[in-house]
Amino acid sequence: MSISATILLGALRDPHSIAALTPADWSKLVFLGRATALLGRIAADSRKTGLFDRLPEAVQGHLMAAERGAALSQTLITWEVDRIKRAFWGQKQRIILLKGAAYIQAKLPCAAGRPSSDIDILVGRAELSLVEATLLQNGWEAAKTTTYDDHYYREWMHELPPLRHPSRQTMIDLHHTILPLTSRLKPDAAKLLSAAQPIDDHMAVLSDTDLILHSAVHLFQDGDIRNALRDLVDQRDLMRHFAGQNPEFWQRLLTRGGELGLGRPLYYSMRYAHRLLALEIPHAVLAASNRFAPPAPVRLMMDHLVEAAILPTFLFETRRFADFAGLMLYVRSHWLRMPPLLLARHLTTKMMRRFGFGEARARP
């Protein structure tokens, strides 16, 4: 692990540790904080611990800029959520917010200093057409896609092609489940929908356990792990928050992970939140999570790959293994999301289009 990564993890593990940083350390921390979209979180922690006013003036400027950027993005998200509510005014349709929008609207600790851009929402698959049509009628537009892209989203993915508002340039990703339909893991979306918790008459968020499982699935099953430390911080904060409210939460989380068939990504989430971010997990809970663990050689390989890929590097630090690890995990995520023949077809189509061959017409 590089020195700069150690500094970043130290600030996230123990916010008080930033008091001892040198100017050279701060250069690394500010750079990596920006690279991981975690500088606003570091700023929020410095306020919470009372350290902000004792930091060098130049550092305070960087932290305030990150705070204001995060606050602006959250204001824009809140306004966009209000516009979505307005679009469905008078309807009984319930919209479930996911990821950043959910953390903001539910006022969860992981929202502190966290910038967000797109809005992800979840509805039942039977309601997709109605919800999409309502959003289109209220000003959002389908992002330009080719016919192949449209087919790819609608037939194989867990979401529809993204919608963009032309004046605000905000994006909505409309989900009907949390993993592609072709994925090896197939959680029951009906269970996620039925357990969702309302936050007002129109909006809801996933249950406490499902918020963590969704984030873990996105990071370790279907997403790009490269420089995605913020997602692991979200998971650490959510587990710490809910377990702090009720120690029985750990058992409910493990039970829910098994029930939805998401034990493996949950295992990785708990393992790396504990190893990298010092999440305190009872020994009995860690032992119980081992029933979801992969074979020892796979676990050892994942330890090396995840810890290399998820942490950014500072400027000219060597990153050859980090690049290799990121590529291997990117290939793994595609392997897990599609059967081999479909994956080969999809990658061939993308490669041909990249070099100017094949269909490139935008869908009207």
Side-chain angles (χ1 to χ4, degrees), residues 11 22 36 62 68 71 80 85 87 131-133 163 171 180 212 217 243 246 261 275 291 300 316 334:
T22 67
T36 54
H62 287 294
R68 291 171 183 174
E80 201 68 12
K85 290 180 186 179
V131 172
E132 183 183 27
L163 301 174
M171 299 285 286
I212 295 164
V217 159
N246 183 357
R275 286 168 62 101
R291 70 177 185 267
L300 181 62
F316 305 113
H334 277 73

Side-chain angles (χ1 to χ4, degrees), residues 130-237:
L130 173 61
V131 172
E132 183 183 27
T134 300
L135 292 171
L136 291 172
Q137 290 167 7
N138 283 271
W140 285 270
E141 298 176 350
K144 291 183 178 180
T145 61
T146 65
T147 302
Y148 174 79
D149 290 332
D150 191 69
H151 177 78
Y152 168 77
Y153 274 101
R154 295 180 186 276
E155 294 299 320
W156 302 327
M157 289 297 100
H158 50 308
E159 57 186 323
L160 296 187
L163 301 174
R164 178 189 292 112
H165 197 280
S167 62
R168 299 190 294 272
Q169 292 298 302
T170 47
M171 299 285 286
I172 294 178
D173 292 325
L174 178 54
H175 298 247
H176 53 89
T177 186
I178 61 172
L179 277 172
L181 300 177
T182 56
S183 174
R184 299 187 187 188
L185 300 185
K186 301 184 186 299
D188 187 346
K191 291 182 178 180
L192 298 170
L193 292 163
S194 64
Q197 300 297 304
I199 54 177
D200 59 33
D201 293 338
H202 302 279
M203 297 290 180
V205 298
L206 294 175
S207 69
D208 50 5
T209 56
D210 295 352
L211 280 168
I212 295 164
L213 291 170
H214 177 224
S215 182
V217 159
H218 177 70
L219 180 58
F220 294 108
Q221 192 75 18
D222 186 52
D224 190 350
I225 293 182
R226 290 174 287 193
N227 293 344
L229 184 61
R230 185 181 70 169
D231 290 338
L232 189 64
V233 171
D234 290 341
Q235 294 157 36
R236 189 273 308 265
D237 290 350

Side-chain angles (χ1 to χ4, degrees), residues 235-252:
Q235 294 157 36
R236 189 273 308 265
D237 290 350
L238 291 169
M239 285 187 272
R240 178 185 287 169
H241 173 66
F242 293 126
Q245 292 181 328
N246 183 357
E248 295 180 1
F249 172 78
W250 291 117
Q251 185 55 53
R252 288 200 299 109

